[in-house]
Structures are given as C-alpha cells and as structure tokens.
Amino acid sequence: MEIRLELATQKDFDAIITFYDDVTERTSEMATYARWSKGKHPTIEGIRAYIDEGSMYIYHERGVIVGAMAVTMYQGEDYHAIDWTQQVPDEKVAVIHILAVSPDSQGKGIGSEMVNEAIRMAKSKGMQAIRLDALASNTPAHKLYKRLGFEYRGKQHLYAENTGWTDFYFFEYKNK
C-alpha cells in the first residue's frame, strides 16, 4: 500500500495554510466540535514552527493535500498534570497535533490512516508513549481515537486563543 503521508517542507507552507483555512471554513459542525478559527487555530506561526522542526506531515491524493497533522517527538508542560499510565521523559513522548482531513475526504478512513502512521513513526523512533489532546466538545475525534487504541486519561481546563478557557481531554495510546 502506498503511504501518502509525507514530511512537509517550507515549499508546502502556502498549500498547508490554504488547506487548514478550507478545513476551518467548510467542516460541518466545526463551531461545535473543534472550534478552530481561521488565523487563531491552527496559527500560521505554529504551522511554520512545525515545518521548521520537521514535525509537520501532509497526506495527499493526486497531488492535493487532503489531510495534515503535526507529530512532535516531545510533549509540552501542559501534559504533565495528567495521570498517565507510565511516566516517561518529555523527549520520549510523541504527540499528535492539529490533525485535520478535508471536508471532501472525511469519512474515508484518512484520519485513521494518518493516526496509525503517526503511531508507526513514533514507535520506529523509539518513543515510549504516544499522546494527544482534543477539546472536550470534540466527540467525533474522541470516538476515532478510542477506536484506534487510545485511552482517555484525564482533562484540564486550559486557555486557547480560539476557545478561551475550556476543557481539553487527554488521550494515550495503549501499546498492544
């Protein structure tokens, strides 16, 4: 099977911004579930930083970006307050961020394929844990993550530019 997920470079930057703007504007129920907003989340600066550090990935079909995500090989301090199944150093934890699939391609298994590829990449790089977070309101994402082997580990009330103060759910992949 052809892997259609590839590491993004700066030459992909404009196309990635266009992709996220389109997802934000056209995903039905975006305001209810993910509450992303153009220019606020994901941010241009954040996407540029993910590309610069080699953490941004794009999924393409026939040369068009239909999915994107960042996979960092470290976790930030906001992950420290959660009761994880195992305590591992920040640099041994892979974290999936800003996972999105084009509205025209949703429901075709692309999100699942991307998450599974992120798990494979993390394991191949020797990561000891794989984690992510999602807004408490993003129930479709919660279902996807649980179906793919992630377990809910706790919530935090955090501030984000696009949401203000809100609850985030944290998930950890159960190594099988």
Side-chain angles (χ1 to χ4, degrees):
M1 179 175 97
E2 173 198 5
I3 298 296
R4 294 174 282 191
L5 189 70
E6 64 184 39
L7 188 62
T9 66
Q10 281 302 333
K11 74 174 177 49
D12 301 309
F13 178 77
D14 290 338
I16 292 169
I17 297 301
T18 300
F19 165 79
Y20 277 109
D21 286 350
D22 181 62
V23 166
T24 300
E25 292 169 359
R26 292 194 314 117
T27 298
S28 67
E29 307 296 332
M30 177 61 78
T32 303
Y33 296 129
R35 298 185 358 224
W36 286 9
S37 109
K38 187 175 172 179
K40 286 188 176 181
H41 188 78
T43 65
I44 289 170
E45 299 80 16
I47 290 168
R48 190 179 308 280
Y50 285 137
I51 293 172
D52 286 346
E53 73 181 27
S55 298
M56 190 80 219
Y57 293 87
I58 53 177
Y59 185 102
H60 52 89
E61 285 183 337
R62 294 180 293 287
V64 175
I65 297 173
V66 297
M69 69 178 167
V71 184
T72 59
M73 297 301 155
Y74 60 87
Q75 71 179 0
E77 286 197 23
D78 48 344
Y79 278 63
H80 291 177
I82 301 300
D83 182 24
W84 301 109
T85 56
Q86 54 182 343
Q87 294 305 312
V88 267
D90 289 349
E91 67 276 4
K92 288 294 185 179
V93 179
V95 180
I96 300 170
H97 305 274
I98 61 172
L99 172 68
V101 175
S102 168
D104 300 328
S105 298
Q106 291 173 4
K108 298 178 180 177
I110 292 170
S112 297
E113 190 176 331
M114 290 170 62
V115 171
N116 285 329
E117 184 61 15
I119 292 166
R120 189 202 64 71
M121 283 188 306
K123 287 179 175 181
S124 75
K125 293 183 180 191
M127 297 293 107
Q128 296 173 2
I130 304 161
R131 299 172 179 158
L132 54 85
D133 65 82
L135 286 175
S137 60
N138 197 348
T139 52
H142 304 166
K143 288 177 188 168
L144 170 70
Y145 301 141
K146 287 177 182 174
R147 188 168 39 83
L148 295 175
F150 285 80
E151 178 180 69
Y152 170 80
R153 296 301 305 163
K155 76 176 177 181
Q156 286 199 76
H157 195 68
L158 299 171
Y159 181 83
E161 201 56 43
N162 58 312
T163 62
W165 286 98
T166 192
D167 288 337
F168 286 81
Y169 284 6
F170 288 74
F171 296 86
E172 183 172 44
Y173 182 71
K174 296 180 291 193
N175 279 320
K176 297 172 182 163

